[in-house]
Amino acid sequence: MKINPVKFHILCLTVVMMTMSVIPVPVVAQDMVNIYSARKEALILPLLERFEAETGIRFRLVTGKADGLLKRIEIEGDATPADVFITVDAGRLEQAKASGILQGVNNTVLDQTIPRHLRDRDNHWFGLSRRARVIFYARDRVDPSELSTYEDLADEKWRGRLCIRSSGNIYNQSLIASMIEHLGEEETEKWARGLVANFARKPGGGDTDQLRAVAAGQCDVTVVNTYYFGRLINSNDEKDRQVAEKLDIFWPNQDGRGAHVNVSGAGIVRHAQRKAAAEALLEFMINPESQAWYAEVNNEYPVVPGTEISETMQRLGEFKSDTLNLTVLGENNKRALQLMDRAGWR
């Protein structure tokens, strides 16, 4: 039987079209966003629930340690379900960028709302809240007129009077990284050696432990993040509030570059399947209501200028903050670690 070539072509095309119509085409729903967060659930869940209620975009939240989540995203590769990665400290955020798990984001709302120094130069991550790493001292043993700058803490007058966390702590690493940028590596190492000579005890414990040590008389001064003090002030435990009453804050370098600040922040994962929903979440987290709530619950400061500051943070007073672009904290991290090791800071 002779087959008409035109009819045969039409028949083949029909079969192909019918076959295509029954093969399901994978579709990634943009009404869902998957979040990997190094912040505890209680510190972010209510905000995510409000995001879902207001936008209709559902969320899945996975919490864990920052390093573990970062490694998980790396292992999952292009099959990762993660769309957004949230963690603390610009040093860690920059590590995430360097490891290749984040993507650059061109978003007008984020660009125009978040100050340039509080986000990555290439827009791979964005600050969501601020914390300052500053000096706290014993009210009954230190005259605030004795205090001035971070650099002054290396002076001999503080010999045996300083408590601080170990060099393995990312917050201290970022402080040193910022000083390298401002003072140079040689001067920063000289300062670090003086600081180590003034240690009242071997570094150890968390920031709250340093505050308790000052209150207990084990040392007179310490350098910690402001939100740890906020937690003590608002604690339901009377012993914590008693610790806070024995301490006061000092804002260093107010006649110069200002106090060292850092951020908690977020970035969109490189292989995010729901980029539009991820951007919507970041935009939501920097609106005025979200900024005020997020900062208050975490005892931190908003990143968006003009946002209302919580009563707790207002009690700590106004201060001049360093406007160094926080990208350098990650870029200088390796040098900071090596410097601290040479200085004997363990």
Side-chain angles (χ1 to χ4, degrees):
M1 181 177 64
K2 186 177 180 180
I3 299 176
N4 186 307
V6 176
K7 289 183 178 180
F8 181 74
H9 177 74
I10 294 173
L11 177 63
C12 291
L13 183 60
T14 302
V15 171
V16 170
M17 293 298 291
M18 289 176 65
T19 304
M20 289 178 62
S21 67
V22 297
I23 296 176
V25 178
V27 176
V28 177
Q30 290 296 329
D31 63 347
M32 167 68 73
V33 61
N34 290 327
I35 305 148
Y36 282 15
S37 173
R39 305 223 75 171
K40 293 180 180 179
E41 182 177 290
L43 302 180
I44 192 172
L45 184 58
L47 188 62
L48 296 177
E49 291 173 338
R50 189 157 62 84
F51 167 73
E52 181 175 302
E54 293 187 15
T55 66
I57 300 174
R58 296 168 296 152
F59 69 89
R60 293 192 184 100
L61 176 65
V62 175
T63 59
K65 297 292 185 181
D67 292 341
L69 291 174
L70 196 155
K71 180 58 66 176
R72 176 173 172 175
I73 296 173
E74 287 182 322
I75 293 172
E76 291 172 340
D78 59 7
T80 183
D83 300 307
V84 174
F85 177 58
I86 298 175
T87 190
V88 295
D89 199 280
R92 280 204 184 102
L93 288 161
E94 193 62 22
Q95 286 172 10
K97 173 188 174 183
S99 68
I101 72 163
L102 302 179
Q103 62 175 281
V105 177
N106 183 16
N107 181 291
T108 302
V109 174
L110 300 177
D111 287 348
Q112 294 181 354
T113 307
I114 303 173
R116 194 73 190 91
H117 68 287
L118 299 177
R119 50 190 168 96
D120 172 51
R121 288 198 196 100
D122 303 316
N123 286 349
H124 280 70
W125 54 261
F126 303 86
L128 299 177
S129 61
R130 291 183 301 148
R131 68 277 299 277
R133 193 158 188 78
V134 296
I135 299 169
F136 286 85
Y137 63 93
R139 289 175 179 268
D140 62 344
R141 299 189 302 280
V142 176
D143 186 328
S145 66
E146 297 180 76
L147 297 161
S148 58
T149 62
Y150 295 104
E151 291 87 327
D152 180 66
L153 292 177
D155 190 276
E156 288 186 359
K157 68 185 177 185
W158 301 112
R159 189 63 48 88
R161 302 175 68 188
L162 173 68
C163 289
I164 201 165
R165 290 176 76 159
S166 74
S167 60
N169 174 245
I170 187 69
Y171 307 148
N172 284 338
Q173 293 168 18
S174 290
L175 173 61
I176 300 304
S178 73
M179 296 188 74
I180 289 174
E181 195 68 20
H182 284 299
L183 307 177
E185 195 164 334
E186 183 177 346
E187 281 300 308
T188 302
E189 183 171 340
K190 180 180 177 182
W191 170 80
R193 290 182 183 278
L195 198 75
V196 170
N198 290 341
F199 287 174
R201 63 177 190 178
K202 182 180 178 180
D207 275 18
T208 303
D209 297 309
Q210 314 311 314
L211 293 170
R212 288 177 176 149
V214 175
Q218 297 176 28
C219 47
D220 294 338
V221 293
T222 187
V223 179
V224 303
N225 286 352
T226 43
Y227 63 88
Y228 288 98
F229 187 61
R231 290 178 184 173
L232 292 176
I233 292 174
N234 295 325
S235 175
N236 293 324
D237 189 332
E238 184 179 352
K239 291 181 180 179
D240 286 343
R241 296 196 300 274
Q242 290 175 349
V243 168
E245 290 172 1
K246 295 179 181 180
L247 309 174
D248 210 343
I249 189 172
F250 184 84
W251 298 99
N253 297 76
Q254 294 302 282
D255 293 330
R257 63 182 180 272
H260 171 69
V261 296
N262 210 315
V263 293
S264 70
I268 296 180
V269 176
R270 178 185 175 188
H271 296 295
Q273 299 181 59
R274 306 165 182 84
K275 186 178 178 182
E279 288 192 42
L281 175 61
L282 296 188
E283 290 178 9
F284 178 83
M285 294 186 78
I286 61 169
N287 71 38
E289 296 79 13
S290 297
Q291 277 284 287
W293 183 91
Y294 190 61
E296 181 172 1
V297 168
N298 291 285
N299 290 300
E300 294 179 313
Y301 297 92
V303 295
V304 179
T307 305
E308 184 178 354
I309 297 173
S310 72
E311 183 178 338
T312 299
M313 294 296 99
Q314 289 180 35
R315 287 175 57 181
L316 303 187
E318 296 183 357
F319 67 101
K320 175 184 177 181
S321 64
D322 190 351
T323 57
L324 178 72
N325 187 286
L326 299 185
T327 304
V328 303
L329 304 188
E331 293 174 342
N332 290 349
N333 181 266
K334 183 177 180 180
R335 294 167 64 197
L337 275 168
Q338 294 171 338
L339 183 155
M340 296 166 88
D341 187 57
R342 293 195 301 270
W345 188 340
R346 300 292 183 259

